[in-house]
Amino acid sequence: MELWSSVAPWAAELRRDLSERWDTLLLLYSTGLIGGFHTSFTAATAFFRVKAAHRPPLKVFQVPRREDESAVVKDFEKLLAREGGRTRYGYVIREMPQWEEGFDFDRYDPVVLKQRADLAGFGSVSTMGDLFDVVARIHTAGHSKLISTDAEPGAVRLVGGRDVQRDGTIAPPSDVAYWVRAQPEHLLAPGDLILREIYAPGDPHGFCLAEVTEQDLPAAASHTTIVLRPKADLESQRIGFAMMWLRTPLARTLAGTSGVHVSVKNLLTLPVPQPDEALEKAFDELDAVRLRLEEWQLEADSLLGSVFMHQTPAQARLEIIDKGRALRLRVEAASLLDDLGHTIRTRFPYPIASRWRETEAQLSAGDPRAAYSAVLDTAEILLCYVAQVALALGREEDLNFGAVVAIKGKLTSGRSGPGFGDWVAVLDESATSRRLRNLPTEHPLQDIRALFAGSEATNARQRLYGRRNDEAHLRRIDSIDLPGAIQAAFADLTILTDRARFLADLPLLHLTDVRWDTLERTALVHFRELMGDHPVVPTKTMAVPRNDLEKGSLYMRDSGHQLHLLRPFLVGQVCPVCRTWSTFHVDRVPGEAVLLKSLEHGHIFRDHSPAMSAALSGVGLL
């Protein structure tokens, strides 16, 4: 095994010599199958053929333990007959790898190679060597002259691999710990990452590592560890991300092994996914959440620990009830966020949240026909809102939707406005568009593209569309079947709204005032955040470094705090019918007037202004 997996010069040279004279046909790895050796011992058996003009593909097989022998033999025979690809326990390599890099079984496994390539999905990929330097270690044999005792002045503790704990800490020194007179280049520093260098065969975990703290010092590292020191300009967040990555089994797999040892060379070339801006922001927010939860826990522990510290039981009772109430309310409020309905009513854009509130009210009121209609209305408004946002975002990116042609035809005919099928067409096009696929991963259109991903969401949407069509064409559900239809339709609506949770991170804003400061090059914006099931919300302010914002218009704010204009796809104003502030989308254009339809209640507003027609023409809807 050592001959094939080791990156030591002697092993690399021998593999190179073999490759010059022989073609390697098969590498067969097995663990615990050789009598007289420990069951953890791994052997690699190689089969050669005299070097020929055309090199055959290399076949690699790993004999599994505790598997049905006949199934293993059958899989092995299948591998021998293949010229490429993978079987359950082996794979074929058509392009011979560099023998200098070592050849443990996982290194060139097609599954592992695909996982390696997929790492770029986090944002970008660096190597450990790009982010960290290696700190010199002390070998207890090679540096025996440095071995000392804890009583000698200047002696420091020698940290070995066994001292690095799985919980991310370094164990305190034991009675058998080594002490050394370390040179300056050997001394550990706060923030160093220290990893175990030796792992038992079959260990399923990632790297075992700890971050060195002031409490662990002074200390030096032994040869049974690897110490990585962050480069001077490396941000703490990227260090934390690298630590999480190193603790994954995939990281250890990609780093490979040299027998039971981890190669420093391989570790430094290990790819490390680097978070993009959106992922960094998400990590910052999660870290803030973690710290807040820890504060609550400490507060609860302190309160519980003070029960018998008061002068009288009556005082203790009042303290526990009074201060405990705030903690209970916090936890109850946080627990409500696990309820999808509560999330929609409080954190979804107003048009959807208000429709969901109406649906829940109708479901509890006992009128099956009204409840069924409310479910289908909410489904259409959900898709309508997301489709309008997609059209607005597409216009910003100079992306044209083919579905707009059909919508334009309906608008200009003046007879019937766009409906469920048109919104579905926009969202389907969003999901399949190659140009949209090339947008940055943090762009909000990427979330919209994933709305119908998977058969569950697609099937739910198709069933709701069918029900909506049946209602529109008077194919009404029989009263006897209505309760079951309501239950099924609401289940499908729940699937779609659950997939649309990303809307909670894309607030709908109504800009009530914008004041540009030429000297400061910023705009002071007054806005209402229309999230939740009521339009009466407090006005907030923010400073924005742009001077093209429109007072009175609707905007969507993405996770990067960028504002996206939604006019004329969505406009907001007080409804002339019910006198309630509402959001509207264009429904018909019969002649010179533009008819706008409310998402919240369906009321029609007639707009005669030339500006509205010009805006619709500018975005291709007229």
Side-chain angles (χ1 to χ4, degrees), residues 275-294:
D276 56 20
E277 184 178 349
L279 190 55
E280 284 183 351
K281 182 176 180 293
F283 270 102
D284 286 340
E285 292 171 346
L286 285 173
D287 194 50
V289 168
R290 178 184 61 81
L291 292 174
R292 189 63 184 273
L293 292 176
E294 288 178 356

Side-chain angles (χ1 to χ4, degrees), residues 104-122:
D104 51 280
F105 177 80
D106 290 324
R107 176 173 288 273
Y108 299 102
D109 185 342
V111 174
V112 175
L113 293 179
K114 183 179 184 304
Q115 291 174 323
R116 181 186 183 114
D118 289 344
L119 293 179
F122 284 102

